[in-house]
Amino acid sequence: MSSTCSTVSRELEEPVAGTAATARTWLLLEQPGPWGARALTSSHLDPSLGRALEAAAKGTGVRIALIRRAGRHADSGVPAARQVYVAHTVPGNVWLHAATVTDPEHLLGLDFAALGRGESGTLGTVLGGGPRTGDPLALVCTNGKRDRCCALLGRPLAAELAASGVEGVWEVTHLGGHRFSPTVLVLPYGYAYGRAEAHAVKEVLHRVQEGRIVVEGCRGGSAWERPGQAAELAVRRAVGEYAAEILSVVTTEGAAPRWVVTVAHADGRRWRVEVAQGASLPPRPESCGSVLGSPSRMDVVDIRELTSAALVG
């Protein structure tokens, strides 16, 4: 059997920081049954609705994904009620709301631009939803039509977590970074993890309930672009700060292959972080079935705490 993209990435110890999907707000719609590579338009969801949802979310900072319960995915007909979750992940305004819908077309009544800004008002008026209390969500990518690693590694992880009694476990259509499978997104804070194992996911969920972030295996917070993801994680490690919502990426200057990112602490401290885009060598496919290439990586080359004088300057 040939090597998969995930086994090659693991063997080469490719770093995972700065590889998370970017989304200020996540909208998750339950859709049982099989998923295609482009799940919104190649699942048992009406493809015209899928296209309309894609158009409504475009450019708003909202990312839409389909979710389903862990386990077998035979088509059992249209569900009477579907679970919907919406999470905003920007520190200082993190929230997770839940609702149920009998007709997913109601989602088109949402104000996607407002959701992207972190305004949840239309969730209540359109969907009748409200804040979710209780356990965080653990979303495991299992879409084998995107990459076989997600099916081979993600589905057993989701099943193991669900069987062990972990609440809030769902399979999800696409989180990017197939070569880091199994990949997991944890809401409400929006941090993604790669090469995840059940015991590590349980620890992450436990820490989230305490309002803390685990940095081991973390790909980054989805609220930030990838240079910001790498910079924020580097500051957390450098200063030993693991409280959620305590660090923010306030500016990102420059362009590929080099950026200067300013990370701010809620107590007023700031850091200047230099991030360089490099190439992961030797060349290898970014995902199973793709052409040979050199996946990009985010390398933090310098972290410097800014003094009061530097801030004034």
Side-chain angles (χ1 to χ4, degrees), residues 227-250:
Q229 294 173 12
E232 190 245 20
L233 286 175
V235 170
R236 284 191 179 278
R237 290 191 178 95
V239 302
E241 179 58 84
Y242 306 114
E245 293 195 78
I246 208 75
L247 294 178
S248 296
V249 174
V250 292

Side-chain angles (χ1 to χ4, degrees), residues 30 67-70 83 85 137-140 158 168-172:
E30 183 179 3
I67 58 174
R68 64 191 176 196
R69 298 288 184 181
Q83 185 67 51
Y85 295 109
L137 300 182
L139 308 166
V140 184
V169 177
W170 293 84
E171 298 187 6
V172 68

Side-chain angles (χ1 to χ4, degrees), residues 45-72:
L45 183 71
D46 182 348
S48 62
L49 173 58
R51 286 190 290 271
L53 288 170
E54 287 178 334
K58 187 175 181 180
T60 64
V62 177
R63 185 180 178 109
I64 304 175
L66 302 182
I67 58 174
R68 64 191 176 196
R69 298 288 184 181
R72 298 184 62 185

Side-chain angles (χ1 to χ4, degrees), residues 12-83:
L12 294 173
E13 298 181 341
E14 181 183 357
V16 302
T19 67
T22 299
R24 294 192 301 273
T25 301
W26 290 85
L27 191 158
L28 308 169
L29 170 64
E30 183 179 3
Q31 177 58 58
W35 297 330
R38 295 181 60 85
L40 280 179
T41 54
S42 56
S43 69
H44 288 185
L45 183 71
D46 182 348
S48 62
L49 173 58
R51 286 190 290 271
L53 288 170
E54 287 178 334
K58 187 175 181 180
T60 64
V62 177
R63 185 180 178 109
I64 304 175
L66 302 182
I67 58 174
R68 64 191 176 196
R69 298 288 184 181
R72 298 184 62 185
H73 307 129
D75 182 18
S76 57
V78 177
R82 303 169 189 250
Q83 185 67 51

Side-chain angles (χ1 to χ4, degrees), residues 95-295:
W95 47 259
L96 173 60
H97 285 225
T100 56
V101 295
T102 54
D103 183 355
E105 288 211 12
H106 290 163
L107 297 178
L108 293 175
L110 295 171
D111 185 336
F112 282 84
L115 292 176
R117 295 191 299 268
E119 301 165 11
S120 62
T122 57
L123 292 173
T125 56
V126 174
L127 302 183
R132 171 184 163 86
T133 57
D135 297 318
L137 300 182
L139 308 166
V140 184
C141 185
T142 63
N143 192 351
K145 295 296 185 181
R146 296 287 302 216
D147 192 288
R148 59 177 171 157
C149 289
C150 296
L152 291 172
L153 302 174
R155 286 179 186 168
L157 174 62
E160 182 179 354
L161 289 169
S164 67
V166 176
E167 298 292 334
V169 177
W170 293 84
E171 298 187 6
V172 68
T173 46
H174 186 49
L175 298 177
H178 317 295
R179 63 192 186 279
F180 304 120
S181 295
T183 62
V184 180
L185 175 71
V186 178
L187 295 175
Y189 298 124
Y191 285 82
Y193 293 83
R195 305 184 187 124
E197 298 180 359
H199 68 89
V201 175
K202 292 176 183 178
E203 177 65 16
V204 168
L205 295 174
H206 177 67
R207 294 302 176 193
V208 166
Q209 289 177 315
E210 298 176 339
R212 297 175 68 79
I213 303 301
V214 173
V215 299
E216 289 76 16
C218 189
R219 299 176 59 197
S222 71
W224 319 122
E225 298 292 336
R226 292 183 176 181
Q229 294 173 12
E232 190 245 20
L233 286 175
V235 170
R236 284 191 179 278
R237 290 191 178 95
V239 302
E241 179 58 84
Y242 306 114
E245 293 195 78
I246 208 75
L247 294 178
S248 296
V249 174
V250 292
T251 62
T252 301
E253 300 172 331
R258 205 168 189 90
W259 299 266
V260 175
V261 180
T262 303
V263 177
H265 194 286
D267 66 9
R269 286 178 292 166
R270 293 195 173 203
W271 293 265
R272 178 184 183 274
V273 185
E274 292 186 34
V275 180
Q277 179 177 297
S280 295
L281 298 173
R284 90 295 298 264
E286 283 201 43
S287 61
C288 293
S290 68
V291 298
L292 200 65
S294 298

